[in-house]
């Protein structure tokens, strides 16, 4: 009897629907990467970074708790001073020069300065129930997903769900493909980056910034697949959507004459297979777990939110002085487009 009662309570407790989906404005665009290249300014390639203003060249968790150090965040929920980042997209014109592709906010987030949309989910995106119990990340937690050296479909398939969508309209979501779209995309290109969801329960990081996390042992996060015994803790799925505004580059007469697509990542990948993303957790106190355990569907009553003007105002100065916006003959850091046939 008592057992049944406890079970009923725990089912109730885990039945809260939580799906966090919120915009974060651009914090800065810079050649720094405190996760993969701590201490290096400049780091090898250019990133677009969002979140709390404690972002820095070095972010050793033993030195500082960013949720206490940050004084503002470019994300909608003001208790989220995490940092989220990806590489930057460039266009390579027929004449061989490069130009940075700007970002625009997602549908419904007009007025946000570029940036991206961040999700923390309990279940797959199209399961609007969002009722499974998930654990929030801990202070000091960080992770990475993807491979900057991937140049083939097989290499990209080691990671699930690092995808591109050719946007017909800002609302297009499918199909999702693993390489750059091959023709002009009317409303831009969306990159969607989903992180693994099973944690080893011990390590806040690992040498490759990935080994402490795993995909489910069978099935997927979306299908409720179980976590492996090596990584038993089912975490919230962290998911980024970035909208690259390629509209100004859609004129076919600027494209390479051999019919190949002209977009290239800031580290030179011209295939798209090296799509990757970085995360450093920085929610204040138990704000994230609280949001995940309480009813929250995009509007989250347990969280403090801020206005778009406040989000846009939170920025960090670039540390690396270089031209990232003119037509240039190489990408920042001297990279040039490559397709794996070097
Ligand atoms: C970044 O680190 C440098 C060197 O430790 C420090 O002087 C600076 O205040 C830090 N910036 C931020 C935004 O924390
Ligand atoms: C290269 O092409 C772009 C796009 O057509 C153009 O804006 C730029 O001025 C060209 N640069 C040179 C050096 O011709
Ligand atoms: C932001 O806060 C206001 C006032 O508390 C609330 O009405 C609104 O739904 C919140 N928005 C989100 C996205 O949580």
């Amino acid at each position: 009897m008592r057992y049944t009662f406890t079970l009923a309570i725990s089912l109730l407790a885990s039945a809260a629907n939580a799906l966090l989906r919120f915009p974060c404005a651009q914090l800065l665009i810079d050649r720094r990467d405190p996760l993969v290249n701590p201490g290096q300014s400049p780091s090898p390639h250019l990133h677009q970074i969002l979140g709390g203003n404690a972002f820095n060249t070095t972010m050793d968790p033993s030195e500082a708790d960013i949720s206490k150090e940050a004084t503002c965040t470019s994300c909608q929920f003001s208790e989220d001073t995490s940092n989220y980042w990806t590489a930057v997209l460039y266009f390579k014109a027929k004449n061989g020069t490069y130009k940075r592709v700007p970002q625009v906010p997602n549908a419904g987030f007009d007025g946000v300065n570029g940036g991206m949309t961040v999700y923390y989910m309990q279940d797959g995106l199209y399961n609007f129930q969002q009722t499974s119990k998930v654990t929030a990340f801990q202070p000091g937690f960080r992770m990475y997903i993807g491979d900057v050296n991937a140049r083939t479909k097989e290499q990209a398939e080691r990671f699930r769900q690092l995808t591109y969508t050719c946007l017909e309209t800002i609302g297009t979501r499918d199909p999702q493909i693993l390489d750059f779209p091959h023709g002009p995309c009317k409303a831009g290109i969306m990159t969607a980056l989903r992180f693994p969801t099973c944690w080893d329960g011990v390590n806040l990081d690992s040498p490759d910034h990935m080994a402490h996390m795993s995909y489910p042992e069978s099935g997927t996060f979306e299908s409720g697949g179980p976590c492996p015994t090596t990584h038993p803790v089912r975490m919230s799925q962290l998911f980024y959507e970035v909208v690259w505004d390629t509209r100004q580059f859609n004129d076919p007469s600027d494209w390479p004459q051999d019919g190949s697509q002209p977009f290239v990542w800031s580290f030179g990948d011209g295939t798209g297979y090296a799509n990757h993303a970085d995360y450093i957790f920085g929610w204040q106190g138990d704000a994230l777990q609280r949001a995940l355990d309480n009813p929250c569907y995009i509007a989250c009553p347990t969280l403090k939110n801020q206005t778009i003007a406040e989000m846009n105002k939170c920025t960090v100065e670039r540390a690396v002085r270089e031209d990232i916006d003119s037509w240039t003959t190489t990408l920042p850091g001297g990279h040039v487009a490559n397709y794996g046939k070097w």
Side-chain angles (χ1 to χ4, degrees), residues 112-134:
V112 176
N113 177 27
M116 63 194 190
T117 309
V118 174
Y119 295 73
Y120 288 85
M121 297 188 295
Q122 288 178 302
D123 290 300
L125 186 55
Y126 300 119
N127 169 4
F128 292 110
Q129 298 303 312
Q130 301 288 333
T131 52
S132 303
K133 171 74 183 160
V134 287

Side-chain angles (χ1 to χ4, degrees), residues 21-23 76-77 109 296-307:
R21 173 184 189 264
F22 55 95
Q76 179 184 16
F77 294 121
F109 298 147
C296 153
Y297 191 78
I298 300 176
C300 299
T302 69
L303 294 177
K304 298 186 194 104
N305 63 32
Q306 57 178 354
T307 64

Side-chain angles (χ1 to χ4, degrees), residues 32 53-58 69 316:
R32 288 193 287 166
N53 68 343
F55 180 85
N56 215 332
T57 312
T58 302
E69 222 180 86
V316 165

Side-chain angles (χ1 to χ4, degrees), residues 308-329:
I308 288 175
E310 287 169 315
M311 292 164 54
N312 288 346
K313 211 166 62 190
C314 186
T315 56
V316 165
E317 222 174 294
R318 287 170 59 199
V320 181
R321 285 163 193 257
E322 62 187 345
D323 184 0
I324 59 170
D325 280 323
S326 305
W327 288 95
T328 51
T329 52

